[in-house]
Amino acid sequence: MDARTTTVQELSRRRLEPAPGGPGPTVKFVIPGPGGCSWLVRADCGQGERPPRDGPDCVVTATEPVLRALLTGRANTLAAVLRGEVAVSGDLDVLVALQRLFPGPPAGSRGGAA
Amino acid sequence: MTAEVRILDGNTFVVSDGSGDIAASPTDTAGLFSYDTRFLSRWVLTVDGRRLSALSTDDMQYFEARFFLVPASGTVYVDAKLSVIRHRTVARGFRERLTLLNHDQNPVTLTVCIEAGSDFADLFEIKDARPKVGDYYTRTRDGRLVLGYERDTFRREVEISTSEPALVAGDSLTFEVRLEPHGEWSTELDVVPRMLRADGQPVVAVDRPVRGVERMRQDLSEWQAGAPQVGCDWKPLEATYGRSIVDLAALRFSPVIADGRSLPAAGLPWFMTMFGRDSIFTSLQALPFTPELAATTLSVLGRWQGSRVDDFRDEDPGRILHEMRYGELSAFEERPHTPYYGTADATPLYVVLLDEYERWTGDTALVGRLEGVARAALDWIDDYGDLTGRGYVSYERRNARTGLENQCWKDSWDSVSYRDGRLPGFPRATAELQGYAYDAKLRGARLARAVWGDPAWADRLEREAAALKERFNRDFWVADGGYYALALDADGSRVDALASNIGHLLWSGIVPPERAAAVAEHLLGPALFSGWGVRTLAEGEGRYNPVGYHVGTVWPFDNSIIAWGLRRYGFKEEAAQIAAGILDAAEYFDGRLPEAFGGYGRELTRYPVQYPTACSPQAWSTGAPLLLLRTMLGLEPAGEHLLVDPALPKGIGWLELRDIPGRWGRVDAFGRGRVETPRAGPGRPSAGA
């Protein structure tokens, strides 16, 4: 399926190799505003067993284009956070582990901002 | 500007003049900095419109300073009727208690004003004076002064509040103060930098408690008390050790994901960030003293290990990062430091540190958790690290615009050369990288058997290490010189300059015993050994320059690794000679070794000539005396025990190191001086010689 036509939810689930009921942390993605939505992904970030907690381990909030750019490798996570395009709450360690599952920039591109 | 005063906590630091004022031009390095951004470039105190003169400055600890000031009179013969004290501590940003004392018998009314300003420069912009892309703003919020900068969704602010009400107008805070005869007035100024999104919320919602100055003092005391104690009849060594432990405390940096724990940053103040190479080497040097630094270094570098191919960041799967930065240029990807991976040595060195950490601490839980990281790092050595397919780690940047050309520790442009001074093309495979790779494979094999339960993988790693050692000794050996080439060039030909890198080969164990004596002889010979230490490049080489950054200067860090290598091959006296030279030099620098000093012969200058550098202390120079203590005492873990095999330079009559932490609990080590070494200048005492 073409990344441009795939929903960002589907992209996140495919990219993050969800581990249902597994030991990985839960990440909540949020697209804010009218027409926005949120969804949960349990990702296998290689972090091993985690203590149970109420709610997701980490909440990542951004617009649809920014999330899509992260999930397709057209944006770098830390740079996007520093630019203020991505809001993060909860366990930051989870975000650092999670971003390792994101792909590299498409061939021929420099990386670059979303 | 009068003497520069610097205080810091982690990557927040303040650089001011001797009166506490900050009045930076775009190219000046004064200011309040946090997360690689200058949040204040102007902070000027006036009383009745006049600036103040410093009577004295008290650098109390690395995180606090006090400035004693009087109104500028133009002459020293007029007694001041007013004293002003600024007591500044770093906390989030900084806090400043401003106190005015009236020494007159009459009351006075004064206008006290603080003028503030910020250019919000990225550290990388300073000195280039580049125009900013975004817009500045100044606001007043609940009696507080807010200076801000925004560019798209990127926003940075600094908020200044006062305990006494101030008139906030423009970029100034003004107090009308009436002082009774011999009266006193004070206020506290709180300066808080903020990294924000466009909606005014912090970019990262972290609830980190702000440490007060009392907590910081207590933390430093506990740090000093927790480190082993040194006793020695040569008092400068005790002083150098004490200085190193305090400087190591100042160099601690706590990344957000480290849960309050710290790793060593590279240098104070401009390199107060995570560097793969520097953090690993300093952790290695400090392992017998503060092993918790190594644990944090391994955890955090492991978490940020490269996972994809990204040419802009020179990132590959399995690669350990080179440098992390948080400023505007990194945010907008004008610089690649989010993070930048352009280093060829941090990846094998990561495995070396992991093994050395386990040997000292027995912390198999952490080593078990990091198995995946170690596997990916060891895989990197053979795939992404081997650019030519010849079986050697080599480097060539893919980011040609802002990436690093030389991705080894000697990272200046001219550091790798042939004997005649020519520079080789890329990729370059420097010698010490092959030593680190060899050592990483053997240490990985040990951990595979001892901790990860994979003897088949261990066997494979050992076979690969043996093959690497064989081809390295065939391809790098300069037979007519009796040493190893500095590198192989793109064609696989030897880059044949004689350099200090051969000492790192001893440390890594890639040198066969029958060649070790020739290497040691070169290291202590007149071309490389200056009397103070081993030069980065031998005298007589085409590019040799005693004040060239990596082409003739003496680096204390380099020498500490070389001394460790000499000990590994049984050259105790040679190791003691290097320790003696470097520790003698430390005495000239009040116990704080610089990053590098001149490679002039000791008999020529009689004192070590400092190389001008912006950063002091530098982490791996701070770690050098610690590692030299280890090599002098011959400390080596063996199972659950610590072996002690001292070889001290003569002139050090006795040396003891008490409470060395490790898997054995805490033990003491003791040694007496026996090795004859040359002395010059103050040096070590003759007693005990």
Side-chain angles (χ1 to χ4, degrees), chain B residues 43 67 203 205 304 404 458 567 612:
Chain B
W43 184 254
F67 307 87
V203 294
W304 280 106
L404 275 176
R567 282 291 321 219

Side-chain angles (χ1 to χ4, degrees), chain B residues 230-527:
Chain B
V230 164
C232 184
D233 63 340
W234 183 39
K235 295 303 164 192
L237 178 55
E238 289 183 356
T240 295
Y241 176 73
R243 179 80 262 160
S244 293
I245 291 296
V246 171
D247 284 349
L248 208 51
L251 285 158
R252 287 173 299 170
F253 169 61
S254 181
V256 176
I257 61 167
D259 202 20
R261 293 183 294 272
S262 301
L263 52 76
L268 186 160
W270 307 110
F271 298 102
M272 282 307 292
T273 187
M274 188 164 41
F275 278 80
R277 178 187 308 128
D278 301 64
S279 299
I280 289 172
F281 267 125
T282 309
S283 296
L284 275 168
Q285 292 169 314
L287 200 41
F289 303 86
T290 55
E292 62 272 27
L293 291 176
T296 314
T297 298
L298 290 164
S299 297
V300 176
L301 290 180
R303 178 58 76 218
W304 280 106
Q305 184 176 39
S307 60
R308 66 209 133 214
V309 174
D310 179 342
D311 293 345
F312 178 57
R313 293 175 180 81
D314 278 324
E315 177 180 359
D316 309 310
R319 202 170 193 178
I320 298 298
L321 69 83
H322 175 61
E323 180 179 358
M324 179 88 92
R325 292 288 184 178
Y326 307 90
E328 182 183 352
L329 297 187
S330 299
F332 286 91
E333 306 191 46
E334 292 161 56
R335 294 276 179 159
H337 298 92
T338 46
Y340 179 59
Y341 288 88
T343 169
D345 54 14
T347 308
L349 287 170
Y350 180 89
V351 182
V352 171
L353 176 62
L354 186 65
D355 176 64
E356 192 69 10
Y357 172 74
E358 197 282 331
R359 292 177 70 230
W360 277 86
T361 64
D363 183 359
T364 51
L366 179 64
V367 175
R369 280 201 299 280
L370 295 173
E371 178 186 346
V373 178
R375 280 182 184 270
L378 286 160
D379 286 348
W380 180 89
I381 290 172
D382 292 323
D383 42 42
Y384 294 95
D386 180 5
L387 297 181
T388 61
R390 293 194 185 95
Y392 296 119
V393 175
S394 56
Y395 57 81
E396 179 174 18
R397 63 181 177 176
R398 304 198 297 272
N399 175 350
R401 200 169 58 86
T402 49
L404 275 176
E405 209 168 43
N406 272 324
Q407 302 189 351
C408 52
W409 85 261
K410 293 178 179 174
D411 57 3
S412 55
W413 67 278
D414 61 347
S415 65
V416 180
S417 64
Y418 301 92
R419 297 206 71 171
D420 60 10
R422 284 177 300 122
L423 300 177
F426 295 92
R428 294 174 178 173
T430 52
E432 82 288 357
L433 294 175
Q434 320 318 318
Y436 302 159
Y438 170 80
D439 198 18
K441 283 176 184 287
L442 287 186
R443 287 171 180 268
R446 192 191 78 81
L447 291 175
R449 281 202 188 89
V451 183
W452 300 324
D454 190 346
W457 184 38
D459 290 347
R460 198 191 90 201
L461 287 168
E462 284 171 348
R463 281 196 304 275
E464 290 171 358
L468 171 57
K469 185 174 187 176
E470 190 181 335
R471 66 176 172 269
F472 175 79
N473 275 279
R474 180 193 65 214
D475 295 345
F476 278 73
W477 186 248
V478 180
D480 59 353
Y483 64 89
Y484 292 92
L486 174 50
L488 295 187
D489 63 17
D491 302 327
S493 302
R494 294 183 194 101
V495 181
D496 56 355
L498 173 61
S500 64
N501 305 47
I502 58 172
H504 289 233
L505 299 175
L506 293 178
W507 171 55
S508 299
I510 199 170
V511 178
E514 64 273 18
R515 284 181 172 172
V519 172
E521 207 171 304
H522 276 297
L523 288 166
L524 275 299

Side-chain angles (χ1 to χ4, degrees), chain B residues 59-82:
Chain B
D59 278 321
M60 303 163 76
Q61 294 294 355
Y62 61 82
F63 47 80
E64 62 178 326
R66 202 154 35 195
F67 307 87
F68 297 90
L69 315 172
V70 292
S73 65
T75 167
V76 295
Y77 300 108
V78 178
D79 286 343
K81 297 287 174 59
L82 179 74

